[in-house]
């Protein structure tokens, strides 16, 4: 049997979740959609309740981006965040164990599925302190905030996520990378060469040497599942389609977090997004990080995140 380094790392990623007091669950949120998620051990599915703010922690929802499952993307955040919040950390539809028979593929559908998950857990808007989404998860977080309504008093964190992107931005990305016909081919690598390009795009300082056998292991264990369905998700994104989506300011407090070396969504897009989201949006640029600052510099990312969520002073621009 071939040794899989990725499978070993996955054990530690999952352990970071269990050590944060989380357990995996799979929940049928409606007749079409099933969501796999990580929930607090204290949350009972038989009699879910909105927490009493006097004795319980508020809920915080974490939404991952394209790429590996949620345990890989939030493994450096869950332990720190769990000290202050009860975390809900799902796999989005067609990632991990989440699936649907619905033909819908938009990021708005993903947000509706998250709303259905919260309803299935018995959690209403007032029980949610905030929503955090990175990259594609930021698209979903924006839609979810709009669905929760203007009366929802929680906070929104959009990390490395150009919610204001358009078709020209997609074409520019394809041209910058070279060798691909569309964004889907970039984000869903099928060869080790394509994976090397994605790593170079995503991480400011990628490993100098990665053997082919490790890259093949990454492809086999982290990128093979639901490839065609995930390609449909990329094609189904409504951002930039004027007939399907209009970006409007959110009524909630918003923190935009961005790596200054992000090569997928260049940093100038962060400043544009701040203007589009209005006066309640703050921007934090993290130096020497790329598209995944929560992994590249987790200590700084967590400090900025908690400063915003807990109301502590920070150096937002």
């Amino acid at each position: 049997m071939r040794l899989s380094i990725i499978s070993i790392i996955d054990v530690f990623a999952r352990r970071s979740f269990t050590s944060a007091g989380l357990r995996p669950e799979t929940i049928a949120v409606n007749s079409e959609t099933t969501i796999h998620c990580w929930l607090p051990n204290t949350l009972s599915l038989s009699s879910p309740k909105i927490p009493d703010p006097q004795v319980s922690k508020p809920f915080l929802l974490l939404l991952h981006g394209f790429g590996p499952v949620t345990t890989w993307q939030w493994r450096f955040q869950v332990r720190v965040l769990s000290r202050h919040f009860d975390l809900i950390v799902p796999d989005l539809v067609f990632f991990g164990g989440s699936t649907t028979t619905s033909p819908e593929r938009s990021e708005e559908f993903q947000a509706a599925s998250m709303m259905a998950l919260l309803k299935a857990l018995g959690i209403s808007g007032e029980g949610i302190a905030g929503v955090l989404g990175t990259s594609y998860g930021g698209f979903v977080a924006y839609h979810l905030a709009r669905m929760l309504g203007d009366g929802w008093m929680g906070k929104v964190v959009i990390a490395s996520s150009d919610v204001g992107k358009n078709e020209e931005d997609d074409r520019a990305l394809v041209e910058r990378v070279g060798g691909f016909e569309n964004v889907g081919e970039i984000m869903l690598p099928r060869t080790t060469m394509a994976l090397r390009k994605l790593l170079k795009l995503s991480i400011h300082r990628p490993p100098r040497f990665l053997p082919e056998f490790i890259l093949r292991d990454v492809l086999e264990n982290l990128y093979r599942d639901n490839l065609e369905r995930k390609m449909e998700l990329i094609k189904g994104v409504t951002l930039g389609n004027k007939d399907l989506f209009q970006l409007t300011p959110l009524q909630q407090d918003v923190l935009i977090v961005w790596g200054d070396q992000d090569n997928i969504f260049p940093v100038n897009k962060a400043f544009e997004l701040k203007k589009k989201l209005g006066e309640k949006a703050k921007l934090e640029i993290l130096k020497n990080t790329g598209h995944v600052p929560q992994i590249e510099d987790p200590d700084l990312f967590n400090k900025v995140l908690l400063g915003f969520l807990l109301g502590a002073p920070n150096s937002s621009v």
Side-chain angles (χ1 to χ4, degrees):
M1 184 175 68
R2 183 173 61 87
L3 175 65
S4 170
I5 294 175
I6 298 304
S7 295
I8 295 172
I9 297 174
D10 187 60
V11 171
F12 287 97
R14 292 174 64 88
R15 186 172 296 174
S16 68
F17 274 57
T18 57
S19 66
L22 300 172
R23 72 182 192 279
E25 295 282 357
T26 301
I27 300 170
V29 300
N30 55 42
S31 61
E32 296 180 316
T33 303
T34 299
I35 300 295
H36 177 270
C37 57
W38 291 80
L39 303 175
N41 290 329
T42 55
L43 181 64
S44 171
L45 296 183
S46 59
S47 56
K49 299 177 181 179
I50 298 174
D52 181 344
Q54 300 300 319
V55 297
S56 302
K57 293 178 286 187
F59 287 108
L60 180 66
L61 183 67
L62 276 60
L63 303 174
H64 64 82
F66 259 77
V69 293
T70 196
T71 47
W72 282 68
Q73 298 194 36
W74 296 122
R75 65 189 186 275
F76 297 123
Q77 280 68 54
V78 288
R79 193 167 211 175
V80 173
L81 292 175
S82 65
R83 298 169 188 163
H84 306 278
F85 303 97
D86 279 335
L87 303 179
I88 309 294
V89 196
D91 286 320
L92 294 171
V93 175
F94 294 131
F95 294 86
S98 298
T99 188
T100 189
T101 58
S102 169
E104 294 291 331
R105 296 292 183 266
S106 71
E107 74 281 11
E108 188 172 6
F109 170 74
Q110 295 275 15
S113 298
M114 296 302 103
M115 285 288 287
L117 172 63
L118 295 174
K119 182 178 179 180
L121 294 173
I123 303 172
S124 62
E126 57 264 31
I128 306 170
V131 177
L132 163 60
T134 182
S135 195
Y136 178 74
F139 303 170
V140 181
Y142 173 83
H143 282 282
L144 184 58
R146 294 214 304 195
M147 290 178 183
L148 285 165
D150 292 347
W152 177 55
M153 301 303 291
K155 296 183 177 182
V156 182
V157 181
I158 296 175
S160 311
S161 181
D162 187 9
V163 182
K165 81 178 189 70
N166 54 42
E167 292 181 359
E168 291 182 4
D169 294 314
D170 289 344
R171 287 195 292 269
L173 173 60
V174 173
E175 290 177 5
R176 284 199 306 274
V177 179
F180 298 97
E181 294 186 0
N182 54 61
V183 172
E185 292 183 357
I186 297 171
M187 302 307 297
L188 297 170
R190 297 173 187 249
T191 67
T192 56
M193 181 179 294
L195 179 57
R196 287 185 190 277
K197 287 190 175 184
L198 179 59
L199 290 173
K200 187 176 180 180
L201 272 178
S202 303
I203 303 172
H204 175 43
R205 294 190 178 97
R208 291 186 177 182
F209 176 70
L210 273 177
E212 283 287 305
F213 78 90
I214 291 181
L215 294 172
R216 288 193 296 270
D217 196 15
V218 171
L219 288 175
E220 183 65 31
N221 286 281
L222 301 182
Y223 284 94
R224 286 285 186 253
D225 290 345
N226 287 325
L227 265 178
E228 297 305 320
R229 293 288 182 262
K230 289 175 182 174
M231 186 67 76
E232 292 171 4
L233 292 178
I234 291 178
K235 293 178 180 178
V237 170
T238 64
L239 303 184
N241 186 325
K242 296 179 180 180
D243 295 329
L244 299 175
F245 174 78
Q246 294 294 325
L247 181 66
T248 57
L250 293 174
Q251 299 305 306
Q252 298 82 16
D253 289 335
V254 180
L255 175 65
I256 303 167
V257 185
W258 220 280
D260 68 339
Q261 301 297 321
D262 192 332
N263 288 315
I264 292 180
F265 296 135
V267 70
N268 65 292
K269 301 297 294 182
F271 291 92
E272 292 179 14
L273 180 60
K274 180 180 183 295
K275 291 180 181 179
K276 292 176 181 178
L277 289 182
E279 60 183 17
K280 287 195 172 183
K282 298 180 180 181
L283 173 61
E284 193 81 33
I285 303 296
L286 304 191
K287 294 183 179 180
N288 299 316
T289 63
H291 190 63
V292 285
Q294 77 273 20
I295 295 174
E296 296 172 82
D297 193 345
D299 290 341
L300 179 57
F301 184 91
N302 294 344
K303 180 181 178 181
V304 169
L305 182 60
L306 285 175
F308 173 70
L309 293 173
L310 300 178
N314 58 59
S315 56
S316 299
V317 296

